[in-house]
Each structure stands twice: as structure tokens, then as C-alpha cells.
């Protein structure tokens, strides 16, 4: 498969250069270098991200897949420049929310599982079958399962965060928004940078970037880096430190530019992670905690979750490897430009975790092994005439294979633990059935192994037209049709003897809560096909009006689409509607419950009213919006697994403001503000009961970032820069509720879900993050910086969940403590 796709890619990437080269000869080598370097300097954006966008200094973005200035592009987009990433010590996308309040990034269960949320919408973590609602693109290449890191790219030009549905122009899963990372192309002017940082917790970062000409029509660049840090959570069970950093990357590029008509950009990248992540702390004790301690186990003191202490008997390991190849070919003749982007990516993760999060040996292992292979091809053509008419027509193809295996087994103390919780009920039943305590129930090594394979093919066609009907008035219309096909198969085996018993046959139904890993009904089968076939149109319409040479307003309506997602885990269950047919076919297995194999598509809609102004010394952007998603794919942890379901409808009204002012030539002040009012318009069948009318958790009413930068250039060319950013989030309940606390009747129906909300409510609180840096740069290119993040050491609970197999106990993840350090950087 890979050979076939790469062969097709080579045809696209090689055929055009031959044609272009036949038309146009390259200039002399010295002239070519000089002309190319001069053109790059003329087109380069300002180094200082706080420079106002005036006639002499503009910030160029590609949010609409064509270059426009930030002040002219009539969409809700936030931009963080490479300079801003350096000054605020943004190491990966998880740190980016410091600069973009509309973006929230969470990393919880492992280093590879990251959830991106824009305007309160987003999912994708904890399950390889659940694709994100926020699309992540690096140099135009879609990253279907993006880990938080962006490879510490020292050649990052900017990061664009597009808010709201972007399905019209981005071919795959952009129903909530897009994160687009744009890196610098190789240059025909030799230059580079070398950087070294050291901070508390032994944090060490070394990275470098170099670019320059190889020949008169070939330029190259090479980037590499190492990021290491000690863990800040002491694991008193293993003696190790958790939540460490240990990752490295390498990235190389080649640019072929035989003339002004045609160019090819080749990129190869590789990164690797080997970390102990992510530590869990106990937040509320229960009788289960006492049982663990009776066995000699330990948990942290629930009253001091920010002591950065945890207990486990097995260090959590995360070994993740990613690599990819891409080729972008651009061919332009007059107003016509044709672009082809071809990419192949591989991702492999191997993780293991002590998922009871105690030092008792309850869970022997929770080992996951996931392989993902992805091929993408985008082809688009655009044409523009005198800034009056611009049109784009394109197609996108996506093919991905996902293979996952998870092994969950009981540890040597689980049987004794279950006996304590059941007050000897487990042993009593075993003795009654087999005449003695034979150790058949919950034996060490028993458990469940789930294996899934998924093949996903999708294609889309899209088009977009901008027409200036009169000076200062532009109408935009766009459309996208996407077709998505998924085929999934399972091969899951449970060796949990106790969970295979039909307890009602023995008058032991009270022990049903201990049947954690019952037999699994594999699919496809005679009733369940294991297939989904989705297709839908997405549209956008926009009217942009220049109210003055400095102010532009726009009104837009857009829709978005995200295809079905499969639950590739042991929690996958047949639909209730299929239960009778499964029984008729003789396929039922003991203790089979119903749920879902997959969640259906998401459909998003958004109205936006925006106004953008730029007056040189000040600029401001204001957006008012109302956004809804029908069928939002919700993935809720239930205490022993995850329940995947479609919410009927979730909506959010809000306002976003970005502004900056330069009251003095050396001083720039900025403010980013997001106000959100979310609601479950309809969610009657959530794992917590009917959530209709409630406010979704994890969405602050107010998020704001205040920034200030003072920069002074001395007569000798040296520069002193002081920068500070303060990020604030209002108090919000971290989860909708805790399934382990809901009240059910004998049939398992939810009677009251209020206890679930009451249990989660104490963890509601506001959060803030103060960052600052001071940089002294010499005229010769040497820079020295002192920096700090979370300087107020504000500690918060990121999320909470029912402690695994520990009834009425609550666990959670905490945020990172204060970090600080020094950086030396040399640019030439």
C-alpha cells in the first residue's frame, strides 16, 4: 500500500518540475543566490510578533489557504509568531493556550493522548478510534492523531488557530476548528540558530536550526533538538519520579526552485518520546482505600494533592515514535496556481500503566500497543484577478490503518482486595461452586486482551470563491463534500473466570459489581457489520465590508462535518436495538451489556459577526458567535472504562476579543478575551442520565490573557526585551459528573444523577498562570534570557474521575508547578 501511494506521489511531484524546467532556465548561480535572498528578505514577516500591522509590517496568514494579512482575512483566527513562542517558552501545543485563550489543551493518561478544545468543543483523547474535532496540520499535512508536542521546532514561523468549523477548506475533521503550524521554508541565504536552556527540575533543552543553498536551485534546512526534564511527582512506591520529559526530534527539508514558475518542498521528520507520564493523585478516600491499606498498599493523602506525591507499584511508561515524509509542489503561471501536498506518516506507541494508582498490586499491567499509518493527498488550484475575484477548487484523499492491542490483567493482590470489599463473598461463592477456595477467581494474570484493526478511507472535494462586488465589499461562498468509510474488526478475549459467571443462577447477584472484564462479543458478526459509511456537505457564506481603510466587518455562516468514530476498546458494546437479533442468531455471551460500537457523525453550525480594526498604534478584533454541534461525540470515563455516545445537541454563545496598543515606541500591551456560555440543548442518554439543559463542564465562562512587552534598542545595536503574560480562567466544574456516584434502580436505570454532580463540584475553581522573560540580545546575534512559567505556582486539578475499581473514591490529574530557567541563543 505504501509503495503504491508513494509512486502516485512521485508522479505528482516529479511530472510538473520537468515541465517547468523545460519552459524556463535557471539564472546564473551568483545572481540566483542574490535574487533569492533579496526576495526572501522582502517577503519575510516581521520578527517581532507585537509589531502593529501597518503598511510596512504585516503578519501574513494562510488561514484561507492563500496568503492574506491578518487584518484582511475575514475569519476568526489567532496567530502566535515564532518570536512569541520563543519568548513564552512554548515547547508544544499544550503550552500554546497561554497565548490563545480560546484554545484548551489537556494531556492526561499518556504522553500520546492529547485533547484539543476550541470554543468548548473538542475530543479525541484516550481512544485511537475517536478522531479529533479539532484538526491539526503541520505545513499543510493533516496529523490525525497529534501528540501534544510540535517537536520543539526551532524553525516555526507561526501557529494559526482557526476558531469554529473549517470543513469547507480542510478536508478532514475540522468541525470545531483547526490548529495550523507553519514552519520556515529552506532559504537560499545561509543562516541558522543554536539554543541551549537549563531550568529547575533539571530541565535541559538543546536545539538547532541551519539553512542555506546547496546549489543554484536547491536549498536545504536541518533542525534537531533534545528536551529532557526530571519528573516533578515523587512516586514513593517505585522510587522514581513521574511526569518527566525525555524526547528528541530531527527534521530535514529540501527546496527545489528551478525558476519562478515551479518549486518543490520535501520534508522528512522523526521524533521519539520515552517518558514516565502521567501521575494520578487520590482526591477522596473511601472504604476501598482502607482495603488497599489493609493489604499493605498506600495512596497519597487526599488532603494534599499538590504535594506532588503518588504511589504505584509499576512506573508508567510511554514509548512513542513518529516519522513522516511529505512533498509539496507549487506551479504558478500568471494568476493560476496549482498546489499538490502528498504525505505519509507512521506512529507507534507502546505504553504501560499501573491503572489502580496505588502501591498495592491490584492491576498487574495495562499495556497498550498502537500502530497508525496514514497517507494523505491534497490537490488544489487557485486563481485570482486584480484582487477582485479569487477562486479555489481542490480535492483531498485520506487513507489510514489503525492497529491497537491492550492487555489488562489482575495483579497478585486483587483477589484478596476483592474479598475484603465483598466481605468474603468471593471466597464463599468459589467454595460453594468448587468445594474449596481453589484460587480460580481473580488469579494473577487473568484479564482481558483486546485487539482492533480499523481501515479508514475518506475523500472530499471543495471549492471557495471570493468576489469583490464593489470596492470594499466582498462576498465569499464555499462548499465541501466529504465521504468517509470505516471498516473495523475485533479479536478480544477475556480470561476473567469470575466475570463469565451468570451470578443470578447462584443467588449471588450482589457480587455483580465485581465482574469487571466479562466475555466480549467480537465483531463483525452476523448482526453487526463493523462498518460505517458517512457523507455530507459543508457550506460557508460570508459578507465582508470595509467600513473604512482601517476597519473591516464581516458576517458569516458556516457548517462543519466530522464522520463517525469507533470505540476501539474493551468498552465497545452492541446497540440495544441489536440485542434481540444477536439472541436470535445465538451470538450472546454471558453478562453482555449494551452500549455503542461507534458514535455517529457530528454536524456543526456557526454564525459569526466580526469587526477588525488597525490604526497603526493600536489594533483590535471582536467576534460574536453562536455555534452548535449536533451529535457531539462524548467519551466519558465510567470508573472501569469509557462510554462513547452522541450528545443530541450542544450549543455555545460567546464573544472573543484580541487587541493590542503601542502607547510608546518601546512598549506594546495586548489583551485576549473569551466569554463563553455553553449548554447541552439535548443529551438525554448520557452515561450520567439526562443532561439536557445543563452547562457542559470544563468550559470557563471567562478566559483572558494580558500581555506586555517592552523592547529597547541601544545605539550599538544591542536590544533589551522584557515580556510578561498573565493567563486567567474563571472557575468551572472540571467534569459533568462522576458515574460511580449516580443512583440506579434494580434494572440499572438512572434514578438520580445529582450525587454525581455533587461529588465533582468541590473541584471547581479558577486558574491563573503568570509567565515572564527578560532577554538581552547583542548586535552580533547572541541572546541571553531568563524566563519563568506559572511563576505564582498556582496549582489546580485538571480533571477528576472515579478511581479505578475503587467504589466512592475519586482520583485526578494536577497541573504543572512553577518552572524557570535560563536560555542562551545564537542566531546568524
Amino acid at each position: 500500500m505504501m509503495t503504491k501511494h508513494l509512486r502516485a506521489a512521485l508522479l505528482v511531484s516529479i511530472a510538473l518540475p520537468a515541465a517547468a524546467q523545460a519552459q524556463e532556465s535557471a539564472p546564473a548561480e551568483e545572481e540566483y543566490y542574490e535574487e533569492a535572498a533579496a526576495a526572501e528578505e522582502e517577503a519575510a514577516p516581521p520578527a517581532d510578533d507585537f509589531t502593529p500591522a501597518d503598511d510596512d509590517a504585516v503578519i501574513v496568514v494562510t488561514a484561507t489557504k492563500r496568503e492574506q494579512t491578518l487584518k484582511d482575512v475575514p475569519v476568526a483566527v489567532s496567530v502566535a509568531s515564532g518570536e512569541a513562542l520563543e519568548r513564552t517558552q512554548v515547547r508544544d501545543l499544550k503550552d500554546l493556550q497561554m497565548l490563545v485563550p480560546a484554545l484548551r489543551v489537556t494531556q492526561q493518561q499518556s504522553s500520546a493522548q492529547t485533547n484539543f478544545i476550541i470554543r468548548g468543543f473538542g475530543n479525541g483523547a484516550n481512544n485511537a478510534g475517536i478522531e479529533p474535532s479539532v484538526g491539526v496540520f503541520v505545513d499543510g499535512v493533516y496529523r490525525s492523531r497529534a501528540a501534544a508536542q510540535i517537536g520543539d521546532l526551532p524553525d516555526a514561523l507561526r501557529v494559526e488557530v482557526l476558531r469554529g468549523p473549517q470543513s469547507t477548506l480542510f478536508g478532514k475533521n475540522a468541525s470545531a476548528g483547526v490548529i495550523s503550524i507553519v514552519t520556515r521554508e529552506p532559504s537560499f541565504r545561509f543562516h541558522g540558530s543554536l539554543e541551549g536552556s537549563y531550568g529547575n527540575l533539571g530541565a535541559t533543552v538543546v536545539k538547532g536550526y541551519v539553512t542555506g543553498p546547496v546549489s543554484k536551485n536547491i536549498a536545504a534546512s536541518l533542525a534537531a533538538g533534545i528536551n529532557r526534564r526530571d519528573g516533578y511527582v515523587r512516586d514513593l512506591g517505585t522510587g522514581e519520579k513521574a511526569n518527566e520529559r525525555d524526547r528528541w526530534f530531527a527534521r530535514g527539508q529540501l527546496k527545489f526552485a528551478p525558476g519562478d514558475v515551479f518549486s518543490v518542498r520535501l520534508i522528512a521528520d522523526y521524533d521519539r518520546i520515552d517518558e514516565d507520564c502521567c501521575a494520578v493523585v487520590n482526591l477522596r478516600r473511601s472504604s476501598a482505600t482502607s482495603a488497599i491499606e489493609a493489604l499493605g498498599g498506600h495512596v497519597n493523602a487526599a488532603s494534599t494533592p499538590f504535594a506532588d506525591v503518588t504511589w504505584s507499584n509499576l512506573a508508567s511508561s510511554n514509548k512513542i515514535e513518529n516519522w513522516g515524509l511529505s512533498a509539496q509542489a507549487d506551479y504558478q503561471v500568471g494568476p493560476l496556481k496549482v498546489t499538490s501536498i502528498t504525505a505519509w506518516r507512521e506512529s507507534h506507541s507502546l505504553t504501560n500503566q499501573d491503572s489502580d494508582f496505588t502501591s498495592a498490586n491490584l492491576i498487574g499491567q495495562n499495556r497498550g500497543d498502537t500502530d497508525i499509518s496514514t497517507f494523505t493527498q491534497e490537490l488544489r488550484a487557485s486563481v485570482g484577478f486584480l484582487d477582485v475575484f479569487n477562486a479555489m477548487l481542490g480535492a483531498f484523499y485520506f487513507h489510514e490503518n489503525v492497529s491497537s492491542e491492550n492487555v489488562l490483567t489482575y495483579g497478585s493482590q486483587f483477589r484478596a482486595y476483592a474479598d475484603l470489599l465483598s466481605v468474603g463473598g468471593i471466597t464463599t461463592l468459589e467454595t460453594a461452586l468448587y468445594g474449596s477456595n481453589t484460587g480460580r477467581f481473580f488469579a494473577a494474570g487473568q484479564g482481558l486482551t483486546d485487539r482492533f484493526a480499523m481501515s479508514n478511507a475518506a475523500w472530499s472535494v471543495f471549492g471557495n470563491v471570493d468576489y469583490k462586488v464593489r470596492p470594499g465589499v466582498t462576498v465569499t461562498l464555499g462548499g465541501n463534500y466529504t465521504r468517509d468509510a470505516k471498516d473495523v474488526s475485533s479479536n478480544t478475549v477475556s480470561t476473567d473466570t469470575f466475570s463469565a459467571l451468570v451470578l443470578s443462577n447462584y443467588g449471588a447477584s450482589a457480587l455483580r459489581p465485581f465482574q469487571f472484564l466479562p466475555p466480549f462479543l467480537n465483531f463483525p458478526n452476523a448482526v453487526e457489520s463493523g462498518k460505517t459509511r458517512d457523507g455530507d456537505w459543508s457550506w460557508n457564506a460570508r459578507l465582508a465590508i470595509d467600513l473604512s481603510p482601517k476597519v473591516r466587518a464581516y458576517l458569516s455562516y458556516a457548517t462543519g462535518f466530522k464522520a463517525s468514530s469507533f470505540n476501539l476498546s474493551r468498552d465497545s458494546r452492541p446497540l440495544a436495538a441489536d440485542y434481540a437479533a444477536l439472541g436470535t442468531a445465538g451470538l450472546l455471551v454471558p453478562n453482555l451489556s449494551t452500549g455503542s460500537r461507534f458514535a455517529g457523525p457530528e454536524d456543526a453550525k456557526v454564525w459569526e459577526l466580526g469587526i477588525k480594526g488597525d490604526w497603526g498604534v493600536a489594533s483590535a478584533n471582536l467576534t460574536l458567535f453562536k455555534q452548535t454541534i449536533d451529535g457531539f461525540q462524548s467519551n466519558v470515563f465510567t470508573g472501569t472504562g469509557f462510554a462513547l455516545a452522541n450528545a443530541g445537541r450542544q450549543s455555545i454563545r460567546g464573544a472573543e476579543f484580541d487587541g493590542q496598543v503601542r502607547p510608546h515606541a518601546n512598549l506594546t500591551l495586548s489583551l485576549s478575551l473569551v466569554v463563553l456560555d455553553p449548554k447541552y440543548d439535548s443529551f438525554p442518554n448520557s452515561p450520567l442520565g439526562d443532561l439536557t439543559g445543563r452547562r457542559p463542564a470544563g468550559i470557563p465562562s471567562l478566559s483572558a490573557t494580558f500581555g506586555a512587552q517592552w523592547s529597547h534598542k541601544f545605539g550599538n545595536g544591542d536590544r533589551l526585551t522584557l515580556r510578561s503574560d498573565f493567563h486567567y480562567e474563571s472557575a468551572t466544574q472540571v467534569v459533568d459528573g462522576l458515574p460511580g456516584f449516580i443512583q440506579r434502580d434494580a434494572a440499572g436505570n438512572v434514578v438520580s444523577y445529582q450525587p454525581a454532580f455533587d461529588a465533582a463540584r468541590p473541584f471547581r475553581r479558577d486558574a491563573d498562570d503568570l509567565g515572564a522573560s527578560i532577554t538581552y540580545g547583542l548586535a552580533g546575534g547572541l541572546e541571553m534570557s531568563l524566563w519563568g512559567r506559572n511563576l505564582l505556582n498556582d496549582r489546580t486539578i485538571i480533571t477528576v474521575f472515579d478511581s479505578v475499581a475503587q467504589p466512592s473514591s475519586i482520583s485526578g490529574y494536577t497541573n504543572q508547578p512553577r518552572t524557570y530557567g535560563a536560555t542562551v541563543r545564537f542566531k546568524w
Side-chain angles (χ1 to χ4, degrees), residues 370-381:
T370 302
D371 284 292
I372 302 174
S373 301
T374 309
F375 171 80
T376 58
Q377 172 66 58
E378 180 177 356
L379 183 65
R380 64 178 185 262

Side-chain angles (χ1 to χ4, degrees), residues 152-155 207-210 221-225 249-253 268 270:
D152 284 340
L153 298 178
D155 56 340
K207 57 185 179 181
Y209 168 71
V210 63
S221 67
L222 180 64
F249 77 94
R251 175 182 169 92
Q253 299 188 59
Y270 178 89

